[in-house]
Amino acid sequence: EPGQGTTVRLILPRGTETGEREAPLGRTAPVSGRGERILVVEDELSLLMMTEHLITSLGYRLVTARTGAQALERFGDGSEFDLVITDIVMPGGLDGFQLAKALRTRRPDVPLLYTSGYTGYSDDDMGDVIAPLVQKPCPPQELAAAIRRALAKDAADDTG
């Protein structure tokens, strides 16, 4: 800016001692599901569509809801879910924390993941239902790993 100076920021790849390019980091393939049924509650359509594509491509069965009230309807119709993934901030008067509390009264055993663009939530903010929080949007492998951990923890709880 005139009279203010100039700031230049360069982002360069990290070098090696020999001056050669480093080898790319390896990526492990996400763990596939075994047909588990997941309820995803997300009000933002583009994120819901991306999440739907990822989850179904991993071998999970998916049911979606755009509000907390719709999610409660899905539970109320007798559907069984192996996992619930819910956004925290949603329209319609029922946020993700309130939804989690309501779901716990119906199915105290169902594992839960929260998603949010804001990751500053504490256990106190979560209230009665403390669960892992995944920042959105997140890399597909990160979401796949969080789903697998939640489902594995539930399976471990069943055997222990």
Side-chain angles (χ1 to χ4, degrees), residues 85-108:
I85 301 173
T86 183
D87 187 12
I88 295 173
V89 178
M90 295 183 290
L94 193 64
D95 69 22
F97 299 139
Q98 294 165 329
L99 172 62
K101 185 175 180 177
L103 293 178
R104 280 289 187 257
T105 63
R106 296 167 186 198
R107 283 273 319 275

Side-chain angles (χ1 to χ4, degrees), residues 8-153:
V8 177
R9 176 182 276 180
L10 297 174
I11 300 174
L12 303 171
R14 184 174 53 190
T16 63
E17 290 180 17
T18 61
E20 296 175 14
R21 186 176 179 152
E22 20 176 54
L25 296 175
R27 290 187 179 181
T28 58
V31 178
S32 293
R34 296 180 293 273
E36 293 95 333
R37 194 156 189 234
I38 299 175
L39 173 62
V40 175
V41 188
E42 172 60 59
D43 62 298
E44 190 173 322
L45 185 57
S46 61
L47 284 174
L48 181 62
M49 290 171 53
M50 287 186 332
T51 304
E52 182 175 9
H53 174 72
L54 171 65
I55 289 175
T56 56
S57 72
L58 289 171
Y60 299 105
R61 295 178 296 143
L62 183 71
V63 175
T64 62
R66 301 278 308 273
T67 66
Q70 285 180 349
L72 288 176
E73 287 174 19
R74 306 288 191 269
F75 257 77
D77 70 8
S79 297
E80 290 292 320
F81 298 101
D82 298 299
L83 174 66
V84 175
I85 301 173
T86 183
D87 187 12
I88 295 173
V89 178
M90 295 183 290
L94 193 64
D95 69 22
F97 299 139
Q98 294 165 329
L99 172 62
K101 185 175 180 177
L103 293 178
R104 280 289 187 257
T105 63
R106 296 167 186 198
R107 283 273 319 275
D109 59 323
V110 69
L112 185 97
L113 287 175
Y114 293 117
T115 63
S116 179
Y118 173 70
T119 59
Y121 292 108
S122 68
D123 289 356
D124 288 338
D125 295 321
M126 292 180 193
D128 295 335
V129 185
I130 298 170
L133 172 64
V134 176
Q135 183 173 5
K136 65 178 187 177
C138 69
Q141 289 184 314
E142 184 180 321
L143 181 59
I147 290 170
R148 182 50 39 211
R149 281 191 303 271
L151 290 169
K153 181 180 182 320

